[in-house]
Amino acid sequence: MEINPIATSLIQQTQQKKSEVDGDAFENILKQAQETQDKKKLQEACKQFEAVFLSMLMKDMRSTVQDGGLMPKSNAREIFESMLDEKIAQEATKGPGIGLAQQMYKQLSRNIKINTIDENI
């Protein structure tokens, strides 16, 4: 019995669950921001979404690189690269990022204003 296919399957399942949890967290924060009219929470949710997007982008970019190089492909390397991509994505969104969070914030904050106006009518 080989451990590699089992470990690879577990890594993929863990990454899938993590992305589902991240998506749920974004949705929950977004709902809370809309209910409480909290623009800081909305901005935080947009930044989290951008970080998840960047992490997925880096994972897909890394999958296009041929195996080999200085380090042989292994489960440890795969875990390290996954964690590295996630950390880079988080650090990238601390500044202006790629602009996705700002655009999402502009669009979603309009919806908050519209909801506030509709409630006053």
Side-chain angles (χ1 to χ4, degrees):
M1 178 170 85
E2 285 188 37
I3 295 179
N4 279 346
I6 294 171
T8 303
S9 174
L10 287 173
I11 290 168
Q12 289 171 347
Q13 289 175 3
T14 303
Q15 289 173 343
Q16 182 179 4
K17 283 287 186 190
K18 185 185 180 317
S19 66
E20 289 173 7
V21 168
D22 287 343
D24 290 344
F26 169 73
E27 187 176 352
N28 290 338
I29 292 172
L30 182 61
K31 284 180 183 177
Q32 287 176 357
Q34 288 177 336
E35 289 172 1
T36 61
Q37 304 294 317
D38 189 358
K39 292 191 175 190
K40 287 192 181 220
K41 276 192 177 184
L42 178 61
Q43 200 167 27
E44 177 188 330
C46 293
K47 291 243 182 210
Q48 283 181 354
F49 182 83
E50 184 177 39
V52 170
F53 176 77
L54 284 173
S55 180
M56 290 171 56
L57 182 69
M58 284 190 236
K59 178 184 172 191
D60 287 342
M61 287 186 341
R62 195 177 297 280
S63 70
T64 64
V65 177
Q66 291 182 349
D67 291 339
L70 296 175
M71 292 177 48
K73 193 73 169 174
S74 68
N75 290 331
R77 177 179 161 191
E78 194 173 322
I79 291 170
F80 171 76
E81 288 174 348
S82 173
M83 292 170 57
L84 178 65
D85 291 344
E86 186 177 321
K87 188 64 176 172
I88 289 171
Q90 288 174 355
E91 291 297 318
T93 59
K94 285 185 179 177
I98 61 172
L100 179 63
Q102 293 168 345
Q103 291 301 318
M104 286 179 62
Y105 177 77
K106 284 180 185 178
Q107 181 65 35
L108 294 172
S109 64
R110 287 182 197 152
N111 291 340
I112 287 178
K113 290 177 186 174
I114 290 169
N115 290 340
T116 306
I117 292 168
D118 288 344
E119 290 172 3
N120 292 333
I121 295 177

